[in-house]
């Protein structure tokens, strides 16, 4: 097996992000490779639809500012250089794929809640990343374990 050169870890800034980042750091350090971190902010219009006659721009800007600050702190705690911190707006699986291509990542690390049944059929970010990635994907099981 060839060693990885660039690892992209996708986090949602929840408490579980530490588990995912920890696994990514372990892989990166064992392969002596670059570690990049990405957080994707979904536009409010995705969640609430574009038909609502409201201007979400102020709220969206505040979400972006807070997420940027949280990502910076998280990255500092995990030893990720500022040039390797990425925060983008869009659909998570699409943006994670795009960033992986942009930085030429050969491994993407994401968290997975191990959904089943209807939740699995509805899809998840980890599932979306796995099925569209052009490189290896490591899904780290987070949350409650049965």
């Amino acid at each position: 097996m060839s060693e990885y050169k660039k690892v992209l870890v996708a986090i949602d800034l929840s408490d579980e992000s530490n588990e995912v980042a920890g696994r990514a750091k372990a892989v990166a350090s064992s392969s002596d490779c670059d570690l990049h971190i990405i957080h994707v902010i979904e536009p409010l219009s995705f969640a609430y639809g574009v038909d609502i006659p409201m201007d979400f721009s102020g709220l969206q800007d505040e979400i972006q500012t807070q997420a940027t600050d949280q990502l910076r702190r998280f990255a500092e705690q995990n030893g990720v250089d500022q040039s390797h911190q990425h925060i983008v707006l869009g659909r998570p699986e699409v943006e994670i794929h795009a960033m992986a291509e942009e930085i030429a990542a050969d491994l993407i690390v994401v968290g997975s809640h191990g959904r089943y049944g209807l939740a699995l059929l509805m899809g998840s970010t980890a599932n979306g990343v796995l099925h569209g990635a052009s490189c290896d994907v490591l899904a780290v099981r987070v949350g409650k374990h049965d």
Side-chain angles (χ1 to χ4, degrees), residues 28-104:
S29 66
S30 70
S31 298
D32 192 33
C33 64
D34 289 336
L35 180 62
H36 289 254
I37 192 166
I38 185 171
H39 174 68
V40 181
I41 301 169
E42 286 192 80
L44 292 173
S45 61
F46 286 3
Y48 295 106
V50 293
D51 294 338
I52 296 176
M54 295 179 67
D55 181 11
F56 289 118
S57 60
L59 184 55
Q60 191 74 59
D61 290 344
E62 182 61 29
I63 291 169
Q64 177 96 20
T65 299
Q66 288 184 13
T68 300
D69 290 344
Q70 283 183 294
L71 180 65
R72 181 186 45 77
R73 286 192 302 273
F74 185 87
E76 285 174 1
Q77 292 169 355
N78 285 280
V80 178
D81 293 336
Q82 186 173 0
S83 63
H84 291 180
Q85 300 170 28
H86 312 280
I87 191 158
V88 294
L89 188 67
R91 293 212 181 269
E93 56 277 0
V94 171
E95 298 303 329
I96 292 167
H97 290 150
M99 184 59 63
E101 292 289 327
E102 182 179 322
I103 67 169

Side-chain angles (χ1 to χ4, degrees), residues 5-24:
K5 303 221 182 324
K6 289 188 181 176
V7 174
L8 176 64
V9 58
I11 61 164
D12 62 4
L13 296 172
S14 69
D15 292 340
E16 296 163 341
S17 294
N18 288 316
E19 291 178 65
V20 179
R23 188 64 57 90

